[in-house]
Amino acid sequence: MKILTVILLIACFLITLALGAQNQELVNFDYLIAQGEFQLSTLLGIAFGSGFAIGWLICGLLYLKARFTKNRLSKKVQKQQIELDQLRAEPVKE
């Protein structure tokens, strides 16, 4: 599965390079505080790279959150298992 992911990422990168090589015309780009004239391939590369980085950041944060939750719940289960074992070991009081 990991190899498939790497191949997919390399394919996306190569497609981006191919699109960039074909789009060398200058375009006006208006951003929040100014405007500039950039090559279309540069804008495509920046958009792809920033989207990729933001996606990895969001997925990484969600993964860390899930992992911390899993660890906390595992500790809670272990604590409850120890308590349950202690209660089973005690004699029944009637």
Side-chain angles (χ1 to χ4, degrees), residues 18-75:
L19 288 174
Q22 297 298 320
N23 295 308
Q24 294 297 326
E25 54 183 89
L26 293 174
V27 292
N28 285 328
F29 183 70
D30 296 323
Y31 44 99
L32 191 57
I33 54 176
Q35 73 177 19
E37 202 166 276
F38 300 100
Q39 288 183 352
L40 188 57
S41 60
T42 304
L43 286 177
L44 286 172
I46 291 171
F48 178 76
S50 60
F52 187 76
I54 290 170
W56 269 100
L57 179 68
I58 291 171
C59 287
L61 291 174
L62 290 174
Y63 175 76
L64 284 176
K65 181 181 175 186
R67 183 145 182 165
F68 287 142
T69 303
K70 177 191 164 279
N71 288 342
R72 188 183 43 153
L73 291 174
S74 294
K75 288 179 185 178

Side-chain angles (χ1 to χ4, degrees), residues 68-84:
F68 287 142
T69 303
K70 177 191 164 279
N71 288 342
R72 188 183 43 153
L73 291 174
S74 294
K75 288 179 185 178
K76 189 174 181 180
V77 165
Q78 287 176 351
K79 185 178 176 183
Q80 289 176 346
Q81 187 66 40
I82 291 170
E83 184 178 343
L84 183 62

Side-chain angles (χ1 to χ4, degrees), residues 7-20 48:
I7 291 172
L8 182 64
L9 288 176
I10 291 172
C12 287
F13 181 72
L14 291 175
I15 290 170
T16 304
L17 285 177
L19 288 174
F48 178 76

